[in-house]
Amino acid sequence: MSVLPRNVIVAIKDHGAAKGLREPKFDVSSGSRNGDSYSGDVYRIVISPDGDDLDDCRNNNSDDPITTLPKTISVIAKVAPTSQLRRSLYNSSAHFQREKYIFDIVLPTFEKFQQTRGLKPSRSFTHYPTVIASECAEGQEFVLQEDLAAQGFRNFERTEPLGYEHVAGILVRLAEFHAISFAMKDQAPDIFDKIVGQLQETIFVAPLHNSFEGFLKRQLDYAMRTLEHSPAKGDEAVTRRLARFRDEYGPSMVDCVENREDGVICHGDCWISNILYRQKSKQHPKELKFLDWQVSRCGTPVIDLSYFIFCCTDTELRRRLPELLRKYHETLVERIDELGSDGQRLFPFETLQKHLKKFSRFGFGMALMTLHSTCCVEKDLPDISAILQTSELVDLDKYAKDMLKNPAYIKRMTGVCRDMVRLVKCVFVCVNIIKRVIFHPTYSINNCFGIVFTK
């Protein structure tokens, strides 16, 4: 385990002091699974009182020393890498600055807006960890936050697609989050414009570097090869369309993130490892927390929706997309109304459908980039963090070759490719037919979620 940087240690000690620990002991371990974090290293630090703290507590509280003993505290530290290669490849500096900005400015502004609109704390969107301290000076970046695992939150199984209940719950929370942007734009446009003015894109910035364009094209090539493992009727058409998309891939991602029509502040990295859940009892719904806000951006809500849907679900679940999208939209409109604006006016269902058709290719693009590692069990994942400690440029693709043979990846990726291309049939379906389909959830997915490869 790496030694924690001095500024992180100081922040941990300050936090311990605020909790009554003068010289706390640290127990440092990994705070994330291999494959969950690339732009930084994540540590879990258990802070406990030393002998002097315990003696002082006993001497000063002789009547009942047990109840006043300092408690052990668990925190999470996300620390920027020191390797220049890794910092450059994952744009670590910009992403730590973005997360600090989100927690220092954006989320507190959202909390205040919800409060002033009369939303009770129990209904407000506060589904994220508390940040204790952060720093974004070049080379010294870190975020120190509460350890949600110590509160009973846990990860979803990364290699398994999510089931209906979990997907529905996450879409509801995303709707509540997106609703704040719509209502704020309507009622406090100057404030909203000011905070989104700092959310410049950090990944898909035109012009894309040739090496990045080449990387994207190879991901599409790998995906197309999965179709050869389990041929199905219609795969020739799927392959032809994917081949045409090959040259469109990079520019399409840029186009999706540059669009700010009906824009909201998106989480931006809405995949399975960035969502934790807790269920206190069978009578209580699952509580959710969204982690890692480093690539938050302003854009269409479909940035979050398509990323989550195509990276965290399978073909079977996507057959129920009509009812899930209706649930998302109903929650969105209800929450916008609750915040004092007219949800149907600001973002009608027909507009959501138009955005899905035009921008869901973003989620497809993210699936191409990430599914091979998402479907890989942790022990079989290469340790990219260790690999990038070298001072020489490495071909990361060679470390992905074994993952591409994984049957779980092949099954998930073929489903994504076939679903996306077959859904093109719906591009010209009229709104009235879409409405009819939505009210008949058993209607074939091929007829109701027209999307993506239109220019």
Side-chain angles (χ1 to χ4, degrees), residues 150-210:
Q151 301 174 27
F153 285 89
R154 55 187 292 191
N155 291 100
F156 291 100
E157 181 60 47
R158 185 174 61 197
T159 58
E160 296 296 324
L162 293 174
Y164 182 88
E165 179 187 353
H166 290 138
V167 172
I170 291 167
L171 290 180
V172 163
R173 293 296 178 238
L174 286 175
E176 292 171 350
F177 176 57
H178 295 158
I180 304 169
S181 290
F182 280 113
M184 185 177 288
K185 281 198 303 181
D186 184 46
Q187 301 172 41
D190 292 344
I191 296 175
F192 185 79
D193 289 344
K194 182 177 181 180
I195 61 175
V196 301
Q198 302 299 315
L199 297 180
Q200 289 82 19
E201 177 61 24
T202 59
I203 299 176
F204 299 103
V205 181
L208 297 180
H209 193 279
N210 289 340

Side-chain angles (χ1 to χ4, degrees), residues 114 123-128 173 176-177 180 290 293:
Q114 293 174 94
R123 288 187 52 76
S124 295
F125 182 89
T126 53
H127 304 285
Y128 40 83
R173 293 296 178 238
E176 292 171 350
F177 176 57
I180 304 169
F290 292 82
W293 296 72

Side-chain angles (χ1 to χ4, degrees), residues 201-316:
E201 177 61 24
T202 59
I203 299 176
F204 299 103
V205 181
L208 297 180
H209 193 279
N210 289 340
S211 62
F212 190 27
E213 288 262 25
F215 166 80
L216 295 177
K217 290 178 180 179
R218 289 193 297 277
Q219 307 318 300
L220 186 57
D221 293 341
Y222 299 149
M224 290 169 63
R225 290 174 198 163
T226 65
L227 297 170
E228 301 170 4
H229 290 269
S230 56
K233 184 179 180 180
D235 276 358
E236 289 185 4
V238 173
T239 301
R240 287 195 300 271
R241 189 59 196 95
L242 290 176
R244 292 200 300 274
F245 183 65
R246 192 173 185 273
D247 291 333
E248 305 166 12
Y249 187 177
S252 288
M253 300 299 277
V254 172
D255 179 58
C256 288
V257 298
E258 283 185 345
N259 172 75
R260 292 201 172 186
E261 177 188 0
D262 297 306
V264 301
I265 295 179
C266 297
H267 177 278
D269 197 11
C270 199
W271 72 299
I272 198 165
S273 287
N274 286 338
I275 306 169
L276 301 184
Y277 75 95
R278 174 177 72 178
Q279 188 164 23
K280 293 183 177 179
S281 70
K282 292 182 179 180
Q283 288 72 39
H284 291 83
K286 286 185 172 64
E287 299 176 60
L288 298 172
K289 296 284 187 179
F290 292 82
L291 309 178
D292 197 350
W293 296 72
Q294 291 192 336
V295 292
S296 296
R297 45 169 66 97
C298 180
T300 167
V302 173
I303 292 291
D304 279 343
L305 297 179
S306 64
Y307 187 172
F308 172 67
I309 288 167
F310 287 101
C311 292
C312 303
T313 69
D314 59 9
T315 294
E316 182 178 356

Side-chain angles (χ1 to χ4, degrees), residues 349-376:
F349 190 75
E350 292 80 5
T351 302
L352 173 61
Q353 285 286 344
K354 291 176 183 177
H355 279 243
L356 287 165
K357 294 174 187 177
K358 188 173 183 181
F359 299 115
S360 284
R361 62 187 185 271
F362 179 84
F364 177 57
M366 293 306 301
L368 293 174
M369 294 173 62
T370 62
L371 268 187
H372 58 283
S373 59
T374 301
C375 296
C376 189

Side-chain angles (χ1 to χ4, degrees), residues 17-195:
K19 300 293 184 179
L21 305 177
R22 294 183 306 163
E23 291 294 331
K25 296 183 295 184
F26 298 166
D27 181 13
V28 183
S29 60
S30 175
S32 68
R33 301 170 295 186
N34 184 23
D36 281 353
S37 180
Y38 293 113
S39 67
D41 297 315
V42 181
Y43 303 97
R44 172 170 286 107
I45 303 100
V46 178
I47 314 167
S48 56
D50 70 357
D52 289 341
D53 285 322
L54 295 175
D55 288 343
D56 286 349
C57 187
R58 293 188 181 99
N59 292 334
N60 296 328
N61 299 277
S62 55
D63 292 338
D64 189 9
I66 300 300
T67 59
T68 55
L69 286 176
K71 291 183 173 61
T72 296
I73 306 164
S74 185
V75 297
I76 294 292
K78 183 157 56 175
V79 183
T82 56
S83 161
Q84 288 304 311
L85 176 59
R86 187 175 166 204
R87 287 178 64 86
S88 174
L89 189 62
Y90 293 106
N91 203 2
S92 295
S93 179
H95 289 148
F96 273 84
Q97 289 181 41
R98 177 60 47 84
E99 186 153 39
K100 181 174 175 60
Y101 179 73
I102 292 295
F103 277 99
D104 286 357
I105 304 298
V106 176
L107 294 177
T109 302
F110 274 17
E111 285 188 35
K112 183 177 181 180
F113 181 80
Q114 293 174 94
Q115 292 169 3
T116 59
R117 295 323 183 259
L119 212 60
K120 295 181 179 178
S122 61
R123 288 187 52 76
S124 295
F125 182 89
T126 53
H127 304 285
Y128 40 83
T130 298
V131 168
I132 299 162
S134 61
E135 175 60 66
C136 64
E138 181 69 27
Q140 301 181 51
E141 304 95 341
F142 77 89
V143 175
L144 186 69
Q145 61 190 41
E146 62 180 339
D147 183 3
L148 293 170
Q151 301 174 27
F153 285 89
R154 55 187 292 191
N155 291 100
F156 291 100
E157 181 60 47
R158 185 174 61 197
T159 58
E160 296 296 324
L162 293 174
Y164 182 88
E165 179 187 353
H166 290 138
V167 172
I170 291 167
L171 290 180
V172 163
R173 293 296 178 238
L174 286 175
E176 292 171 350
F177 176 57
H178 295 158
I180 304 169
S181 290
F182 280 113
M184 185 177 288
K185 281 198 303 181
D186 184 46
Q187 301 172 41
D190 292 344
I191 296 175
F192 185 79
D193 289 344
K194 182 177 181 180
I195 61 175

